[in-house]
Amino acid sequence: MQPIRKLDDLVSHVRTLGRRFRVAVACGQDPNTVGAVARAVELGFAAVVLLGDATRIAATCAAEGVAAGRFEIVDIPDEKAATREAVRLVRGGEADVLMKGLVGTDAFLRAVMDRERGLLAPGAVMSYVCAIEVPRYPRLLFVTDPAVLPFPDTAQKLAMVRYAVAMAHRFGIDCPRVALVSAVEKPSEHFPSHADYAVVCKAAERGQLGACTVDGPLDVFLACDPASVEIKGVPTPIGGQADVLVFPTIEACNAFYKGLMLFAGGELGGIIQGTTRPVVVMSRSESARSKLYCIALACLMA
Amino acid sequence: MPITKLDQMIEHLKSRPAKRVVAAYANDSHTIGALAGAMDAGIVEATLVGDQDVIARVCQQESIDVSRFTIVHEPNEMAAVYKAVELINTGAGQIIMKGLCSTDKYMKGLLDKEKGLMDPGAILSHVTVIENPRYHKLIICGDVAVLPAPELKEKIAIVNYMIAVAKALGIETPKVAIIAATEQVSFKMQACVDAAIISKMAERGQIKGALVDGPQAVDVAVDRESAETKGVKNPVAGDADCLLFPDIEAGNVFYKTNTKLAGCELAAMVVGARCPAILSSRGDSTKTKLYSIALAALTAK
């Protein structure tokens, strides 16, 4: 397949897959969530189950001008019970994607991570990957982890790379270029991330991470700007054309992606990875387009 | 042409001005005999620091002409070590060698902060060069004798010492394999983590003048077929000049297996001081003693 280079193309691609992915929404009763899933239903790639307070769901649909009849509605007014049931549907294969509605992120993730009834295999690393489109970069950037792992250790960084690479493969990028981001490109013992990065690079070189090209530490310029690579003369196989950016901490990654959203006209689609099925957790401040992209991305990865 | 046999070091040295070895507490036949042999081969000159009466007696017993040596009389063991160190520091010799003094006293002299042979921050280590008839060239390895459990900074120093030795042996771009038990990267093994870091540093030009790769198991490092079978495709695999061992046990077992079970000869020296330091043991073969002196002479400034 041709690589997907735009998030709108992601949506078109998911629509061509010719099926409606079943999305179970825990406490899907707020305008934010209802609006996003309504669009996915309208575009024909999602079938949505809203679990929550049916009265509130009806009221929200009415207020948003969305026909409640387009959704399957399961009336569970209790927040925890609704979340548990949504997780159960996904765990049992009755739904392909789990999505968070009007429930606290902590409570939601607790249900996802529940050992007996959740969506996380024992020992699995849960992480967040988002695909970002910015007008000034000619390809999508898969960025991790802006939301879940605060200070990823070596095993978690290896998992982050695997998830991002798997996602890039689904986008038709056969051998994604993965840049391990730091402030400098020369490994130094003063940066705790650098030892991990060296391990990730060598593991990739030995074929332990699948089809991908990995290099790091690299700064964002060397990762994403061919001119900087030339000026600095650093021989890196990434060549300023990174598909994937792995960040050392949540602060660095979070600041990067929010900077792109705010100042560079970025849009994104993001999901939780490491779970047995994709999990969508969106922030209310995301644009309507980005919300749709999140759902489309989850369906692609389902 | 790079040197591929230890004997070639001798030939190489004959065409150069001879360096001077200063032997610390050279009161024994092993030290004096080894130096006389090296002088016969025409590769060094020697100063013996020790008890001049004892030295004269040993020479007589061994039928060695004592007048070939410069003798510096110092009958006290520790004082003789310090005197030898001083001679190096004042430029009266380019190589130091342990005589009858204990290894502890010898090392104490080298490492002494004020009077010794160490630049501030320098790391003392050990490099061994093995000639194994089943390998197509010399194997340079470290550290099999001095640093018990080198941490990253020390491993980098050892790599640089091995590179310097390789260059002295005429190898233009030495290939350095960082040894572990496997070529697969497991972050739970420190040897793998350090290997990955050192490889990356070399890639970024922080270690210069060599091709570096690791982790590699020994078979991958020195056997092309194993490297191919295991899918390690880089110029170092199967063709390594230098092997960095993760700890002294691994390195020590490797070199002793080579000498005792595979009949190999070797040359070895302590590195990291201002001059090469010879530390041969009485158990070493005559050839090994000669080769060690030759190796020191080749690398001496």
Side-chain angles (χ1 to χ4, degrees):
Chain A
M1 80 188 250
Q2 278 288 336
I4 297 168
R5 295 296 189 197
K6 300 273 175 201
L7 290 171
D8 277 337
D9 297 340
L10 161 67
V11 175
S12 341
H13 178 74
V14 172
R15 292 177 76 187
T16 63
L17 295 176
R19 63 176 276 210
R20 282 184 181 271
F21 294 88
R22 282 175 64 83
V23 181
V25 188
C27 307
Q29 54 210 30
D30 58 309
N32 186 51
T33 309
V34 168
V37 291
R39 184 78 183 125
V41 172
E42 192 180 303
L43 289 170
F45 65 83
V48 172
V49 189
L50 302 177
L51 302 103
D53 184 332
T55 323
R56 287 189 67 180
I57 294 172
T60 305
C61 287
E64 295 293 302
V66 173
R70 312 171 90 170
F71 307 119
E72 188 182 319
I73 294 167
V74 180
D75 183 25
I76 309 175
D78 179 68
E79 200 177 273
K80 268 191 187 164
T83 304
R84 265 204 307 272
E85 178 60 9
V87 170
R88 193 193 66 77
L89 287 181
V90 176
R91 186 180 160 98
E94 292 169 62
D96 305 296
V97 172
L98 177 70
M99 181 169 168
K100 182 182 95 74
L102 192 64
V103 49
T105 306
D106 285 354
F108 178 78
L109 289 182
R110 220 173 295 131
V112 170
M113 292 188 290
D114 186 280
R115 281 191 188 192
E116 265 99 61
R117 291 172 295 182
L119 299 179
L120 210 59
V125 173
M126 194 168 83
S127 174
Y128 199 91
V129 185
C130 54
I132 298 179
E133 178 183 328
V134 273
R136 294 192 51 179
Y137 197 60
R139 55 185 64 75
L140 292 174
L141 271 173
F142 298 89
V143 171
T144 185
D145 177 330
V148 171
L149 293 171
F151 301 104
D153 62 19
T154 320
Q156 290 167 333
K157 287 196 185 85
L158 286 162
M160 284 159 64
V161 171
R162 286 200 178 93
Y163 297 150
V165 165
M167 189 178 281
H169 287 164
R170 286 286 177 100
F171 277 71
I173 301 159
D174 296 331
C175 188
R177 300 177 190 211
V178 181
L180 310 173
V181 176
S182 180
V184 295
E185 75 281 3
K186 290 196 168 140
S188 149
E189 56 190 324
H190 302 301
F191 289 84
S193 60
H194 289 185
D196 292 342
Y197 284 176
V199 166
V200 173
C201 288
K202 194 53 76 174
E205 210 181 302
R206 296 285 192 260
Q208 294 167 243
L209 300 178
C212 59
T213 302
V214 181
D215 194 21
L218 290 171
D219 69 8
V220 171
F221 281 10
L222 290 171
C224 300
D225 179 34
S228 297
V229 175
E230 204 169 308
I231 292 163
K232 285 192 115 177
V234 177
T236 163
I238 305 302
Q241 302 178 61
D243 297 297
V244 175
L245 299 182
V246 174
F247 285 85
T249 66
I250 201 169
E251 284 117 325
C253 191
N254 194 278
F256 177 79
Y257 105 85
K258 284 182 178 159
L260 290 184
M261 295 302 118
L262 207 51
F263 303 124
E267 293 285 349
L268 65 79
I271 55 167
I272 288 178
Q273 295 275 262
T275 44
T276 50
R277 286 168 193 273
V279 175
V280 179
V281 177
M282 299 183 312
S283 136
R284 264 163 290 178
S285 52
E286 258 28 303
S287 73
R289 276 176 67 192
S290 282
K291 284 171 191 158
L292 177 69
Y293 296 146
C294 289
I295 299 168
L297 176 63
C299 294
L300 178 74
M301 298 306 292
Chain B
M1 277 295 286
I3 291 172
T4 55
K5 303 277 175 204
L6 292 169
D7 261 335
Q8 294 165 3
M9 292 195 295
I10 314 290
E11 291 313 307
H12 210 82
L13 284 163
K14 280 181 179 161
S15 61
R16 293 194 194 176
K19 306 283 183 191
R20 180 168 287 272
V21 179
V22 179
Y25 206 49
N27 292 4
D28 62 317
S29 59
H30 289 282
T31 309
I32 295 172
L35 283 170
M39 289 167 83
D40 289 343
I43 60 172
V44 290
E45 288 166 348
T47 298
L48 308 181
V49 183
D51 186 320
Q52 60 184 7
D53 299 334
V54 176
I55 291 170
R57 199 164 57 235
V58 170
C59 284
Q60 201 176 14
Q61 280 163 5
E62 302 287 318
S63 314
I64 294 165
D65 176 7
V66 70
S67 70
R68 304 171 74 185
F69 303 109
T70 304
I71 312 278
V72 176
H73 179 60
E74 178 47 73
N76 175 277
E77 183 182 355
M78 194 66 233
V81 173
Y82 279 126
K83 185 68 195 170
V85 167
E86 185 195 315
L87 289 173
I88 298 291
N89 273 331
T90 54
Q94 295 78 42
I95 299 160
I96 192 163
M97 178 172 176
K98 179 177 112 60
L100 191 59
C101 53
S102 71
T103 302
D104 283 357
K105 289 200 170 79
Y106 181 63
M107 292 305 228
K108 193 178 162 200
L110 298 183
L111 291 167
D112 187 283
K113 277 201 177 155
E114 265 114 56
K115 296 181 280 183
L117 289 174
M118 303 302 292
D119 287 327
I123 293 167
L124 200 70
S125 180
H126 189 271
V127 173
T128 301
V129 182
I130 299 170
E131 180 181 329
N132 186 317
R134 299 203 40 181
Y135 197 53
H136 56 285
K137 51 187 173 179
L138 295 172
I139 299 172
I140 301 161
C141 54
D143 178 332
V144 308
V146 170
L147 292 169
E151 55 182 50
L152 180 64
K153 201 170 87 179
E154 293 165 329
K155 286 182 180 175
I156 294 164
I158 301 168
V159 166
N160 282 319
Y161 294 144
M162 292 194 297
I163 292 170
V165 168
K167 298 219 172 202
L169 292 167
I171 302 161
E172 223 165 277
T173 309
K175 298 174 179 177
V176 182
I178 315 293
I179 299 300
T182 164
E183 62 291 339
Q184 295 284 303
V185 184
S186 162
F187 64 85
K188 290 177 182 161
M189 293 194 262
Q190 193 58 41
C192 291
V193 175
D194 289 348
I197 297 172
I198 296 168
S199 304
K200 183 58 72 177
M201 291 180 80
E203 215 179 296
R204 294 282 193 259
Q206 293 160 274
I207 294 166
K208 290 184 174 60
L211 298 169
V212 181
D213 185 64
Q216 291 189 3
V218 169
D219 58 338
V220 169
V222 299
D223 180 43
R224 281 213 174 90
E225 214 179 298
S226 299
E228 264 166 47
T229 310
K230 301 198 172 166
V232 182
K233 286 176 202 127
N234 68 62
V236 178
D239 192 37
D241 296 292
C242 307
L243 308 181
L244 174 78
F245 285 95
D247 54 38
I248 201 168
E249 288 96 342
N252 199 273
V253 167
F254 178 80
Y255 102 81
K256 286 182 176 159
T257 306
N258 269 276
T259 52
K260 299 303 173 194
L261 291 178
C264 302
E265 289 295 340
L266 61 80
M269 63 179 177
V270 172
V271 293
R274 285 190 200 112
C275 74
I278 299 166
L279 183 71
S280 36
S281 84
R282 265 159 282 180
D284 287 340
S285 71
T286 313
K287 272 192 167 175
T288 287
K289 284 175 189 163
L290 176 66
Y291 291 148
S292 295
I293 294 169
L295 180 66
L298 259 187
T299 54
K301 276 177 233 131

